[in-house]
Amino acid sequence: MKKTIKTAFRFVMVTALLWTSVIGGLPPQKASAAVYTYNQTTVDDVAGSTTITNGALKIVYNKSNGLADYYWSNVKKAGGMYSEFATTATFKSKDYTSHTFSTANVATFNDGFGTGTRITFVNTASGKADIRQNYYIYDGKPFFLTDTQVVSGTAISSNYMAPLKSDSGATSINSSANKRALNVPFDNDKWVRYDAKPANSSSVSYEAFATYDNDSRNGLVLGSISHDVWKTGIWYYGTGNNVTEMQVYGGVANSNTRDVDTHGKITGTSLWSPKIFVGYYADWRTGMEEYGQANATQNGAMSWSGGVPFGWNSWGSVQTNLNYNNAVATSNWIKNNIQNNNFSNNNTVYINLDSYWDNLSDTELTNYVNAVHANGQKAGIYWAPFVYWGDDMNQAVEGSSYKYGDIVLKKFNGTRWDKSLDGAYPVDPTHPGSKQRINYFIDKFKSKGFDYIKLDFLTHGSLEGIHYDNAVNTGIQAYNQGMAYVRDRIAGSMFISLSIAPLFPSQYGHARRISCDVYGDLNGDVSTEYLLNSLSYGWWQNGTVYKYTDPDHMVLKSNIEEARSRVNSGVIAGTVFLNGNDVTNTAQQAIVSQLMTNNAVNSVARLGKAFRAVEGNTGTAAADAFVLQDGSIYYIALFNFSTSASKNMSVSLSRAGLNGSQTYTVTDLWTGAVTTAQGTLSVALQPYQSKLVKLN
C-alpha cells in the first residue's frame, strides 16, 4: 500500500540546562533530554534511551545495546528485541557499535490504519551494512508495525531477515500456568492442524503467532502483514510458562511450507524485511481479529455483495463418477425439492462441478451451464492453475506453443521438481506458457457462463525454485504474480474460492477453505472435529482477509446426529454452504431434505460469520463450544465428539461473552424447543450429538 509521508513535524524541547547568557548572544545549548511530539505520539530522547508512547503502548529503545522493550499499560510485555539479517555471515543490530535516534529519521503520515508516525533507529558499524529499524506508531492504537531495512554501499543478497529477535525475556504475559503459544499452519494441505501448544514448548508458526493466558485471555499477537516477497516464520522457545526466546523472520522454507529448496534470495543495496504487526490485548482473540483486519487494510481484500453461496459440490460423493447426466439430475433434484424450501440465499443456489469435470465433453459443459441457469441456479467449476498431473513433458500446453516440460518448476540445482507434493508437478506461475494456459481455461469457463470457480492446489505456485521471470527470486513473489494474473483474467465474473492454498497472500479470493478436505465423519483427519480445530484457531480470517471461510462440502452420513453435527460445523464456520451428497441416490435424498431445509438454522449460515471458540487451550483438538454475537442476539454451538459416550456440558455465559446475571430465552434452532438460562447454559449431549441454540 502506498503511503504519503509528510516530513514536517513539530517538537517541544524540554531542557535541563539554561542558556548561559541570552544578552551575550550565546546560542542555546543542546538539551540533556528532549521530548518531541508527532501527532499523538511522543518521543522522549535521553542520553541512553529513547521512549516512544502513543497513549496505548510504549517502546523503550536502549541506545547503548540496541535492544527494545515493549510496554502496554506501562507494564513490559515483550523485550530484548533486536534485528538480524544474513548474507554470507549473520549480522545482529545489537552487536553494532552505534544505535541512534535522530529527528531527521522521523516522518508523519496518514494511511489506511490512520494517522501515524514512523520512527527509525539506525545501527551502524565499521565495514558493515547499516541496519535501520522502523517503527510505525498509530494514534491511539494498541498495536504498532515494524520492519527492518538493510542499506549497503554495494549490492548484497539475503534469504533471511529478522526484524524481531529476542534471546531472552521475549514475552512476559503474567504468572498464570495456563499459557499457550498458537502455531498457525502455512497452508491447509495434508490435513494440517492448528496447535495451541503450552507456552513451555518450541516450534515454528507461519505468518501469524499469538501467546496468551487462556484464563484471563490476555495475550500478545504478532505476524506479518506484507506477503509480497517473503514467507515469514515465527520461531519461539518457552520456559517458565512464558515464551522466552523469539525469532520473527522472512525466509522460512521447509516441509511445512512444502519446500525442498531454501528460501530464495533478494539482492540489492537496500533490502527490506517483512512488515510485522505487534499488539497486546486483554483478549487475544480480539487481537487476532485486528491482525486479520490489518492484513486486509495493508493488502486489500476481495469484496463480495452476493451473500453466502448456498449449493452443492460434486467431489463430496460423486467424485470421479461425475458425468453430464448426474450433474443435470442433481440440478433438477435440488430445484424441485429443496431450492424453494429454505435452501437458498437471495434466491440463489450454486451447482458446482469439482475435479473430473472434464469427464463432460465441451458440448456437455455448455449444455450443463444452460440447464443450471434454466433452473434459476448458478454454475460452478474447478481448476488447479499451478499443477500438471501428467507425466509427458512433451505434451502441449493448452492455448500455447510450449510443452509441459517448459513450464514445470525447476529446483535451484536446475532439475525439475518431482510429483512428491500431492502427486503433481508444480508449474512456474511466471512462465508465459503458464499464463497462456490460464487464458485458455479461464476464458473457456467465462465463455460458457460459469459463475463460481474453486481454485485448488495453489501452494504449488508458491514453491521456491528457478522461475522464468528473472525479476522473481522467491516463491511468494511468483505466487503473487500468478494469482494476480488469474484474478485479473477472471475480472470479477466469478465467485472465487481458494482450496489448497497458503493462508497469505489473501487478496485473490472471496473465500478460502479454512481446512483441508472434510467429509461426513465426526472424528479423524477428514472430519467435523478436524474442521472445527481450524475454526477454533483460524476463525479470525472470516470477514477480514476473506469474505467467507469455506468449511468444504457437507457430506451427510446416515447417522442423523453425525450428519447434523456436520451441518452445524458448516453453519458456524464462516461459510460457503455446500452440500456434498449424491442426491441422485434416494437414500441420500431423504437426509439432505431433512437437514438442509431448516430455515432457522440456514438463517444463521446466511449471516456468513464465523463463531469464536469459548476456550483456546485445546492443542491440536477442536474446541467443543463456540459463540457468535449478532447484534443483541447470541448463538452458541456445542459438540460432543465422542461416538460412544454421552456428555453433559455447562458453559459459563459470562465466559462466553454474555451477561452472566441476565436471564436469556434459549431456543434450540433444530427443534424449536424453548428454555431459559441464567449464568450457565447446561446441555446434555448424546454420542455424535451437537446443539445450535439462540439466546436473547
Side-chain angles (χ1 to χ4, degrees), residues 561-591:
E561 294 305 336
E562 187 171 36
R564 194 190 318 274
S565 290
R566 181 66 186 103
V567 175
N568 282 339
S569 72
V571 168
I572 72 173
T575 183
V576 175
F577 205 59
L578 305 179
N579 175 249
N581 286 73
D582 180 0
V583 295
T584 65
N585 179 300
T586 55
Q588 294 190 42
Q589 289 172 359
I591 198 164

Side-chain angles (χ1 to χ4, degrees), residues 6 45 80 99 112 127 173 191 205 243 250 252 298 301 315 330 413 470 493 510 559 671:
K6 298 181 290 184
D45 187 44
H99 318 280
I173 306 300
W191 292 278
S205 185
V243 170
V252 64
Q298 177 77 10
W315 189 249
T330 297
N413 64 10
N470 292 331
S493 63
H510 299 103
N559 180 312
T671 67

Side-chain angles (χ1 to χ4, degrees), residues 614-657:
V614 175
E615 300 298 340
N617 60 350
T618 60
T620 57
D624 58 6
F626 299 83
V627 62
L628 172 70
Q629 181 181 1
D630 183 45
S632 61
I633 296 174
Y634 292 84
Y635 299 95
I636 293 179
L638 305 172
F639 292 84
N640 179 8
F641 297 118
S642 174
T643 59
S644 59
S646 299
K647 181 178 184 178
N648 293 318
M649 295 188 66
S650 293
V651 178
S652 165
L653 294 182
S654 60
R655 180 70 175 167

Side-chain angles (χ1 to χ4, degrees), residues 177-191:
N178 194 11
K179 294 214 195 65
R180 294 282 158 167
L182 179 61
N183 288 239
V184 176
F186 173 76
D187 65 7
N188 54 355
D189 199 4
K190 298 184 180 296
W191 292 278

